Amino acid sequence: MLTVEQLYNKLKDIRVGNPCCQFTEERCKTFLPVIERIEQLKREKNAIILAHNYVPPQILYGVADHTGDSYGLAKKALESDAEVIVFTAVRFMAETAKIVNPGKMVLDPNPDGGCTLADGITAADVKRLREEFPDHTFVCYINTTAEVKANCDVCVTSSNVYTIMERIETDKIYFLPDRLMGENVKNFLRDKGAGKQVDVYDGTCYVHEEYQPESVDQVRRNFPGVKVLVHPECSPGVVGKADYVGSTSGMLDYVRESDNDSFFLLTECGLTGVLESEFPRKQFVGTCTTCRYMKANSLEHILSTLENPAPSNIIELDPEIQKNALRCVDKMFSYLKN
Ligand code: 13P
Ligand code: SF4
C-alpha cells in the first residue's frame, strides 16, 4: 500500500502555478484515505485505471495503473484483461477504450471532459465533407468522437500521424479536425517529396494554438543550449523551431534518453509536472498552460465512479457506430504493424 512518504516523494518536485499550492506532506496525507478506498474497489471489481499524462499528478502517482499518451493508453485498453476500465482523461479517450473493448465496462469519471478538437466536428460534418471530397481517404485524429471515427477511414494519434500519413497509399487525403497538425503533416510530406494532396479541417486545440514562435526564440536566448520539445498540435511556426516534435509520451522518452539538462516543453503543463517528478535534476523552463478539461479530473470523481457510476460515467456506444469506429481504429493498428 502506498505511503504518504512515497506519494510525497513523487509529488514534491512538481512546480504548481501558485507556490502556495505546492505539494506538501500534509496535503499528501489528505489524499491517502481516498487512494486507499479506490485501491480496495479496484481489487473488488477487477478494475484498472488508465490516466493521461495531463491529469492532476495525485492521480498519476496515487492510483493510475498505466499512464501515457492517447496511443499508449488505447493499446493498454486493448491488451487489458481487467473487467472494468476506468479512463481518467477526456471523453474521446474513454470512448476509444470502449471502441476497442466492446464487451468490457468502460467508466469515465469526467463525463463532461470535452476537447476543443473533438467538440469542433460532428458526424454530419464528415458526411457532408465526404460528398464534397469523394475521392479522398478520410483520416481522423484520435481527438474525435466515436461517431466521427465511424465515418472516417483511418484514425491517427500524435505519436503516429506522420508515419501513417506517409504510408497511406492514396494520394488524396482529408485530415480532420486539427488544422495545425494537418499543416504540419503537409509540410512534412512536402519535404519528403511525397506528392500527396492533403485537405484539412479548421479545428484547433485551444491550449496548443496559443504558443508563438517568438516565445521559442526568447527562451533560446535566455537559456542557451535548451532543447525545445513541441506537440504537433502547435502551429507550423512553432514546430519549425523545435528540436523534437511528438506526442506527450514521445517527449518523455526524449528527455529520458537525452544528456541535455534543460528543456522547454510546448504542451499542456501536466507533462512538465511528470518530467519534474521523474527527472528532478533536470531543468524545465517556461510558462505553464493547462487544459481545463483534463484538469477537471479528480481522485474524488474516480472514487464515486467506481463506487456507484452514474449513467453518464458508463460509456455506451450504438453497435453500428462501435463497429465502424473499430474498423477505423483497427486500420491505425494495421498501418503500424512492421
Ligand atoms: P497525446 O496523445 O500526445 O498524449 O496528446 C493528446 C492530446 O490531447 C494533446 O493535447
Ligand atoms: Fe483537447 Fe487540447 Fe485539451 Fe488535448 S489539450 S484534450 S487537444 S483541448
Side-chain angles (χ1 to χ4, degrees):
M1 191 49 85
L2 187 73
T3 64
V4 173
E5 293 70 33
Q6 286 167 333
L7 184 61
Y8 176 63
N9 260 328
K10 281 295 183 190
L11 301 182
K12 68 182 187 336
D13 294 306
I14 299 175
R15 278 178 301 151
V16 290
N18 181 343
C20 298
C21 306
Q22 196 70 24
F23 291 101
T24 58
E25 276 197 78
E26 275 312 300
R27 198 166 159 222
C28 290
K29 227 180 254 172
T30 66
F31 297 139
L32 254 280
V34 188
I35 290 175
E36 280 170 13
R37 182 77 188 113
I38 290 172
E39 289 300 336
Q40 186 187 354
L41 286 165
K42 271 162 62 175
R43 286 191 297 276
E44 283 170 21
K45 302 195 174 196
N46 186 14
I48 56 161
I49 297 182
L50 306 182
H52 187 265
N53 289 322
Y54 292 162
V55 303
Q58 59 271 34
I59 297 178
L60 296 173
Y61 291 111
V63 295
D65 296 287
H66 300 287
T67 63
D69 64 7
S70 50
Y71 177 72
L73 293 175
K75 276 196 79 183
K76 287 289 175 205
L78 184 65
E79 290 156 7
S80 167
D81 50 16
E83 283 167 59
V84 178
I85 296 172
V86 181
F87 208 124
T88 171
V90 286
R91 191 70 172 187
F92 75 82
M93 291 195 196
E95 267 190 4
T96 308
K98 182 69 180 178
I99 291 168
V100 298
N101 284 289
K104 286 186 185 159
M105 179 178 261
V106 177
L107 298 178
D108 178 3
N110 181 28
D112 299 325
C115 164
T116 56
L117 285 169
D119 297 341
I121 186 164
T122 64
D125 293 325
V126 183
K127 285 180 188 155
R128 182 181 42 77
L129 286 162
R130 290 203 84 126
E131 280 173 22
E132 209 180 310
F133 298 91
D135 302 329
H136 284 53
T137 298
F138 272 66
V139 179
C140 61
Y141 187 30
I142 195 167
N143 294 38
T144 44
T145 62
E147 285 92 331
V148 165
K149 289 186 180 77
N151 283 281
C152 290
D153 301 306
V154 192
C155 176
V156 295
T157 75
S158 54
S159 69
N160 56 42
V161 57
Y162 292 94
T163 309
I164 292 181
M165 290 286 277
E166 200 182 356
R167 288 184 182 176
I168 286 174
E169 302 79 5
T170 50
D171 56 6
K172 287 184 185 158
I173 298 174
Y174 194 97
F175 181 78
L176 61 90
D178 190 342
R179 172 171 51 82
L180 300 176
M181 184 178 281
E183 296 296 338
N184 290 323
V185 177
K186 271 167 86 165
N187 291 343
F188 166 80
L189 293 173
R190 191 204 50 224
D191 293 350
K192 285 245 164 179
K196 285 187 203 282
Q197 178 192 329
V198 181
D199 292 275
V200 295
Y201 194 72
D202 192 17
T204 51
C205 160
Y206 86 104
V207 176
H208 291 85
E209 74 175 338
E210 288 302 312
Y211 302 131
Q212 299 301 322
E214 300 74 43
S215 316
V216 179
D217 297 335
Q218 195 181 354
V219 165
R220 284 203 193 276
R221 274 195 302 275
N222 293 344
F223 300 91
V226 70
K227 292 285 182 203
V228 177
L229 281 53
V230 168
H231 197 277
E233 289 171 14
C234 296
S235 70
V238 170
V239 164
K241 290 181 180 283
D243 294 298
Y244 173 80
V245 184
S247 75
T248 53
S249 291
M251 294 188 208
L252 210 150
D253 292 342
Y254 181 96
V255 173
R256 183 180 290 117
E257 283 153 28
S258 169
D259 293 335
N260 218 63
D261 43 38
S262 67
F263 302 88
F264 178 37
L265 277 88
L266 287 111
T267 193
E268 209 267 358
C269 68
L271 182 70
T272 307
V274 173
L275 292 168
E276 285 167 340
S277 173
E278 299 297 319
F279 308 101
R281 277 194 277 279
K282 297 195 187 250
Q283 186 190 21
F284 300 95
V285 302
T287 54
C288 184
T289 47
T290 59
C291 169
R292 62 177 174 270
Y293 307 110
M294 289 285 189
K295 292 299 187 266
N297 286 279
S298 69
L299 288 170
E300 289 72 19
H301 288 149
I302 294 173
L303 176 56
S304 63
T305 301
L306 264 170
E307 247 167 1
N308 189 16
S312 61
N313 296 125
I314 305 171
I315 307 271
E316 302 277 13
L317 296 175
D318 169 273
E320 197 58 22
I321 290 174
Q322 200 283 326
K323 188 182 85 192
N324 285 318
L326 180 60
R327 175 196 34 75
C328 177
V329 174
D330 270 349
K331 194 76 186 160
M332 166 175 80
F333 291 122
S334 70
Y335 270 113
L336 297 172
K337 280 189 194 133
N338 68 59

